[in-house]
Amino acid sequence: MKNRNKYLTEILNRYPINNNSKNNLIIDQKINGAKETKLCSTEVETDSKIGIVIVPGMTVPRESYFKLLSHLSNHNVLLYDLRGQSYSEGEINSKNCIKDVNIVGQEFKQRRNLDYLVAVGHSFGGMNVLMSSIENDHPYDLRISLAAPENLKKAAGFIPNIFSSQMAFLHNYIRTKQIPALNDDIVKHYQSFEWNLYKKNPRIVSLNIKNPKYFNQTRVETPKLSEIIKQIKKPSYLIYPGNDKRLKINSKNSTDYNRLASLVNLYKLNFEIIDGLSHRFNKGIEKEFILSYDNDNVVDKVKNIIEKENKNYTL
């Protein structure tokens, strides 16, 4: 765990928290999710009355969102690892992941005495944010979903039905090799891909999925966004990439997302397509947005939405 804290600190040092003497950074802590499952998190505490909860995507560790956390750190920010991922306890499960969003938000809002709470979710995390708004105990005033698949089963169709720990290792190894943003000095410093060192590497463990059999079960059980779109609370924003190899969301040939956009507009939610937002495995200017150092489109979009919806939000 000491090695893990050092790793998180080195990653976070790239994106300094806003220089405010009243800010308090908690790099690694445990918070309660559904059924008192312990979820690992990073938190920025300020004297602001605005709070932002960031919910990662499936197989994406929270340190991948440190850039977003940094850009929002004028206010209280809580970023946690999904259950069953990285060092968080439990197994990944759609229903409990949705409950986690609301339980984490309730506790955060009460503990920090917040007046306004925002949920920002990426991919599967974005689905959880939107679906959590259907529940009666939803504590958020604004929801922002980044590249949430309309159909998780289809979007994650490349993943084998038997997602073993060995397959997870291979998946993470290939991903780390394919994404240019991962091949930097800090990550290389911790790389050790030998199987016997697998559990000792903080980067690889952070990509790990506990009890991988639940991964495929979650993929199958998660409903389509179009099936629940009518029930999602407003204001909610669904932000999508212009060219994403995983979602295949080209506006000219994607029936699923054209239909989703029509439903979003029908129920007076917000649907936007922006550049610089993508899923993993995209290269060049559209490399994985959460790890992109040279494209601020996504963080700017999130900040602009919060400013638009809450005039008390200042950068």
Side-chain angles (χ1 to χ4, degrees):
M1 190 60 70
K2 183 178 179 181
N3 199 26
R4 169 70 173 165
N5 287 340
K6 180 182 177 184
Y7 169 75
L8 291 174
T9 301
E10 289 183 11
I11 297 292
L12 191 55
N13 282 341
R14 298 171 174 168
Y15 312 114
I17 301 303
N18 285 329
N19 188 16
N20 185 330
S21 60
K22 295 182 180 180
N23 283 8
N24 180 40
L25 172 64
I26 306 171
I27 293 179
D28 198 29
Q29 66 177 354
K30 291 186 178 181
I31 57 175
N32 285 330
K35 300 181 179 179
E36 298 188 352
T37 300
K38 299 298 180 183
L39 308 176
C40 292
S41 67
T42 297
E43 182 173 347
V44 177
E45 297 178 337
T46 75
D47 58 0
S48 170
K49 290 296 184 180
I50 296 175
I52 303 158
V53 175
I54 303 174
V55 186
M58 195 179 285
T59 78
V60 186
R62 72 180 187 272
E63 56 265 30
S64 296
Y65 303 87
F66 278 173
K67 180 177 184 178
L68 182 58
L69 177 142
S70 171
H71 280 254
L72 300 174
S73 62
N74 271 346
H75 301 283
N76 299 278
V77 186
L78 181 62
L79 163 62
Y80 68 92
D81 280 313
L82 292 182
R83 62 174 47 239
Q85 289 190 182
S86 191
Y87 288 85
S88 287
E89 296 177 354
E91 297 87 21
I92 194 161
N93 170 285
S94 183
K95 291 182 179 180
N96 285 330
C97 284
I98 291 170
K99 291 179 181 178
D100 288 340
V101 175
N102 287 339
I103 289 172
V104 167
Q106 290 168 2
E107 190 278 335
F108 187 43
K109 191 171 188 177
Q110 182 177 6
R111 174 166 53 83
R112 300 300 304 159
N113 192 26
L114 303 173
D115 294 335
Y116 192 83
L117 188 60
V118 182
V120 180
H122 165 236
S123 192
F124 177 65
M127 300 181 78
N128 292 333
V129 163
L130 296 173
M131 292 178 182
S132 69
S133 73
I134 297 172
E135 306 299 324
N136 294 328
D137 58 352
H138 187 71
Y140 299 91
D141 302 286
L142 170 65
R143 292 141 294 277
I144 303 174
S145 167
L146 302 171
E150 197 285 320
N151 183 337
L152 183 64
K153 183 179 179 180
K154 181 184 291 187
F158 71 96
I159 297 170
N161 290 339
I162 302 175
F163 196 62
S164 65
S165 57
Q166 290 86 354
M167 185 62 70
F169 172 79
L170 180 61
H171 167 70
N172 295 331
Y173 176 81
I174 293 173
R175 185 169 90 183
T176 305
K177 287 296 185 184
Q178 285 189 327
I179 301 173
L182 287 175
N183 292 314
D184 56 40
D185 291 339
I186 291 179
V187 174
K188 285 181 178 179
H189 177 66
Y190 290 104
Q191 284 179 350
S192 53
F193 294 107
E194 295 83 358
W195 179 251
N196 62 330
L197 297 177
Y198 177 64
K199 293 184 177 181
K200 297 180 181 179
N201 184 310
R203 172 66 197 179
I204 298 301
V205 173
S206 72
L207 293 166
N208 193 27
I209 299 174
K210 299 177 178 65
N211 297 322
K213 66 179 181 180
Y214 289 97
F215 189 92
N216 185 60
Q217 181 179 332
T218 299
R219 177 181 63 178
V220 173
E221 292 179 349
T222 303
K224 297 179 181 179
L225 280 183
S226 57
E227 295 173 350
I228 54 94
I229 200 78
K230 183 178 180 179
Q231 304 171 66
I232 294 173
K233 284 186 173 63
K234 298 183 281 287
S236 293
Y237 286 76
L238 286 75
I239 310 300
Y240 287 97
N243 182 21
D244 188 317
K245 294 178 182 178
R246 176 73 58 79
L247 299 184
K248 298 181 176 64
I249 193 175
N250 246 323
S251 56
K252 294 181 179 179
N253 58 21
S254 175
T255 303
D256 288 349
Y257 289 93
N258 285 338
R259 180 169 179 269
L260 180 62
S262 298
L263 289 171
V264 168
N265 293 329
L266 175 65
Y267 296 114
K268 301 187 184 306
L269 301 171
N270 299 276
F271 186 99
E272 295 185 42
I273 294 178
I274 67 172
D275 292 329
L277 172 60
S278 68
H279 269 75
R280 71 187 99 267
F281 296 124
N282 289 21
K283 299 180 181 180
I285 194 169
E286 289 202 326
K287 62 190 175 187
E288 191 174 17
F289 86 91
I290 47 179
L291 286 167
S292 175
Y293 309 139
D294 55 3
N295 193 322
D296 290 334
N297 285 8
V298 177
V299 292
D300 288 343
K301 171 59 68 174
V302 171
K303 290 193 294 185
N304 290 340
I305 291 172
I306 298 174
E307 282 184 327
K308 175 183 175 182
E309 294 293 335
N310 187 338
K311 302 304 181 183
N312 294 322
Y313 182 87
T314 54
L315 302 182

